[in-house]
Amino acid sequence: MQQLIRGRVLDFHADPQDTADNHRFWEDGAILVDDGRIVAVGDHAELTRDGLEEIDHRSHLILAGFIDPHIHFPQLQVIASWGAQLLDWLNTYTFPAEAEFADPAHATRMAGLFLDQLTAHGTTTAVAFCSSHKASAEALFSAAHDRDMAMVAGKVMMDRNAPAAVLDTPQQGHDDSAALIQAWHGKGRQRYAITPRFAITSSPEQMEAAGALARAHPDCHVQTHLSENVDEIEYTLSLYPKARDYLDIYEGYGLLSDKLLLGHSIHLEPREIARMAETGSHAVFCPTSNLFLGSGLFDADGLRAAGIVSGIATDVGGGTSWSMLQTLAEGYKILQMRGQKLHPLAAFHWATRGNALTLGMEAEIGTLAPGSAADLVVLDARATPAMALRMEKAETLAQELFILQIMGDDRAVAQTYVAGRPQKAG
Ligand code: GUN
Ligand code: ZN
């Protein structure tokens, strides 16, 4: 059944950093949706007709739903854990929390709550690390599939340097990943990401197995972590003494490609940057996490100038907010510290079409182009009294977007649609 979703519609077709012709905006716009897909986008007057069901979101903005390309499903109760940098934080808070996901009942309960938090914050697709337990990935895929929500996820492969309760083995990690690919990759809107957690927690044998999976399934994403924290880098290089640098470990196991998502990618050597660019590998900027864990300041302009296409993500629970708006706010501040500017149009492009490009999924998500899934976020820039007060002085779309970027969170998300279905009551 067709329906028309009406509001102030904003859609990006190019990166505002590349060209002035980057978006279209309809002040009285509408999106025609049929069976979860976008059929047309344009002026309301041109798309309306007698008998068509209409949902009116004026005076709110409607954009493609946010995409979060790096988040940890089993860390939804780890967020806001005090006082540690990466390696201590993993050992003290994160691994114990992930151990609970061995229990399928816990994983199933948390999967529903995880998807509820994503959509409450306007995020319609996430790329998620699960725990090392196969059941955690099954729970997440199953819940996302039930909601027709596009999820890219994988069970983490980790066979050392962590408590036994969160470890697999090279063989088990390989076989569970292969079984999950068989069961879930390409089922409805679900996709698999081969997920060696990072080089510290994977032995050479396990990295070998991850490489074999990537060769056998070249259409799966691969996700891991790279150069987040200086102590992490030192420890990593001590474990792989023959590697030229951190990236060289992943390179040696054949993991570099345009399917590879490298969370954090902060403290990079020139050789690493060049190899990421040559292989099309992607960095993923996680600003709230990088500040919270004291990790460092991501070099967005430097990586872009080298030809790397980067994503921007929450990294919950190292990240401190589920909100891509708050993520863009902290991203803005980190780039200020580096003398770089994140323009609001570039910011909203990044969280939507930009992240879709990072995933190679721009035909399916990230824009309002006909044929895309009707995954939408409806934003209210007057959601709080302080925002409404500030909005009295906003004169342009860019100013409105910047108010959302800096002051917004889930309160500014009036509605979220996943495959055309509203996710919020009222
Ligand atoms: N590096 C390896 N695992 C993790 C994780 O769970 N969170 C973050 N922020 N970095 C990691
Ligand atoms: Zn992470």
Side-chain angles (χ1 to χ4, degrees), residues 70 72 75 86-87 89-90 94-95 98 129 197-198 201 224-226 228 232 246 263-264 286 289-290 293 295 315-319:
H70 186 116
H72 293 262
Q75 294 178 19
L86 177 63
L87 299 176
W89 174 85
L90 286 171
T94 307
F95 295 149
E98 296 198 6
F129 289 68
R197 181 178 206 120
F198 65 161
T201 49
T224 187
H225 296 87
L226 178 73
E228 175 177 2
E232 170 212 10
Y246 196 158
H264 306 291
C286 305
S289 170
N290 297 162
L293 294 174
S295 301
D315 192 32
V316 162

Side-chain angles (χ1 to χ4, degrees), residues 10 12 16 22-23 342-350 397-398 401 405:
L10 173 62
F12 291 97
N22 54 64
H23 70 274
L342 179 53
H343 188 278
L345 281 171
F348 280 83
H349 172 269
W350 206 356
L397 175 64
L401 291 173
Q405 175 182 346

Side-chain angles (χ1 to χ4, degrees), residues 357-406:
L357 288 170
T358 301
L359 300 178
M361 291 174 69
E362 66 278 8
E364 165 78 7
I365 55 174
T367 80
L368 305 178
S372 289
D375 293 347
L376 311 172
V377 61
V378 182
L379 295 174
D380 176 6
R382 296 178 183 81
T384 67
M387 291 174 78
L389 193 57
R390 176 63 183 87
M391 275 295 289
E392 288 179 13
K393 295 291 186 189
E395 288 167 0
T396 64
L397 175 64
Q399 289 169 3
E400 180 176 355
L401 291 173
F402 195 55
I403 291 165
L404 282 162
Q405 175 182 346
I406 298 303

Side-chain angles (χ1 to χ4, degrees), residues 225-228 261-268 276 282-285 298-299 303:
H225 296 87
L226 178 73
S227 294
E228 175 177 2
L261 305 170
L262 293 161
H264 306 291
S265 298
I266 298 170
H267 309 281
L268 299 176
M276 286 172 67
H282 300 281
V284 183
F285 179 24
F298 183 83
D299 182 10
L303 298 192

Side-chain angles (χ1 to χ4, degrees), residues 25-69:
F25 179 62
W26 296 270
E27 181 63 40
D28 186 1
I31 302 161
L32 184 62
V33 175
D34 189 5
D35 197 21
R37 296 263 149 199
I38 295 173
V39 177
V41 56
D43 282 321
H44 174 263
E46 282 169 22
L47 293 173
T48 190
R49 60 167 199 264
D50 285 347
L52 189 58
E53 185 199 334
E54 284 199 16
I55 305 162
D56 194 348
H57 287 296
R58 286 173 303 168
S59 58
H60 300 159
L61 291 169
I62 309 178
L63 290 81
F66 296 133
I67 300 166
D68 184 349

Side-chain angles (χ1 to χ4, degrees), residues 133-395:
H133 315 98
K134 188 173 174 229
S136 73
E138 279 164 348
L140 184 58
F141 280 129
S142 170
H145 185 65
D146 286 350
R147 297 180 194 204
D148 207 8
M149 185 169 175
M151 195 65 41
V152 183
K155 72 143 234 119
V156 290
M157 304 170 74
M158 52 190 296
D159 67 343
R160 65 175 182 181
N161 293 323
V166 292
L167 294 182
D168 56 13
T169 63
Q171 191 68 49
Q172 190 75 48
H174 174 278
D175 294 354
D176 284 352
S177 301
L180 287 164
I181 292 168
Q182 179 71 29
W184 289 105
H185 184 63
K187 179 167 179 179
R189 303 188 69 195
Q190 308 311 303
R191 291 178 183 225
Y192 199 79
I194 298 158
T195 310
R197 181 178 206 120
F198 65 161
I200 290 175
T201 49
S202 284
S203 66
E205 295 71 29
Q206 179 156 77
M207 294 304 307
E208 198 74 65
L213 285 168
R215 278 192 298 283
H217 304 282
D219 58 333
C220 285
H221 285 93
V222 179
Q223 60 179 345
T224 187
H225 296 87
L226 178 73
S227 294
E228 175 177 2
N229 167 290
V230 290
D231 292 340
E232 170 212 10
I233 296 168
E234 192 186 329
Y235 185 22
T236 301
L237 295 178
S238 78
L239 293 170
Y240 287 91
K242 294 204 188 99
R244 286 172 287 185
D245 47 46
Y246 196 158
L247 187 77
D248 195 35
I249 302 167
Y250 299 140
E251 187 167 359
Y253 296 102
L255 295 179
L256 271 53
S257 81
D258 62 357
K259 290 291 191 184
L260 178 60
L261 305 170
L262 293 161
H264 306 291
S265 298
I266 298 170
H267 309 281
L268 299 176
E269 301 294 333
R271 193 205 79 89
E272 296 179 294
I273 294 170
R275 282 305 285 154
M276 286 172 67
E278 282 163 14
T279 56
S281 304
H282 300 281
V284 183
F285 179 24
C286 305
T288 71
S289 170
N290 297 162
L291 292 171
F292 180 72
L293 294 174
S295 301
L297 306 177
F298 183 83
D299 182 10
D301 284 0
L303 298 192
R304 185 179 144 76
I308 295 168
V309 176
S310 300
I312 184 164
T314 66
D315 192 32
V316 162
T320 53
S321 173
W322 294 79
S323 171
M324 289 302 295
L325 298 171
Q326 278 303 293
T327 300
L328 295 173
E330 300 309 286
Y332 177 86
K333 296 171 198 171
I334 286 184
L335 298 181
Q336 280 280 49
M337 294 298 293
R338 297 203 67 123
Q340 301 176 13
K341 288 272 182 278
L342 179 53
H343 188 278
L345 281 171
F348 280 83
H349 172 269
W350 206 356
T352 55
R353 181 175 175 271
N355 278 338
L357 288 170
T358 301
L359 300 178
M361 291 174 69
E362 66 278 8
E364 165 78 7
I365 55 174
T367 80
L368 305 178
S372 289
D375 293 347
L376 311 172
V377 61
V378 182
L379 295 174
D380 176 6
R382 296 178 183 81
T384 67
M387 291 174 78
L389 193 57
R390 176 63 183 87
M391 275 295 289
E392 288 179 13
K393 295 291 186 189
E395 288 167 0

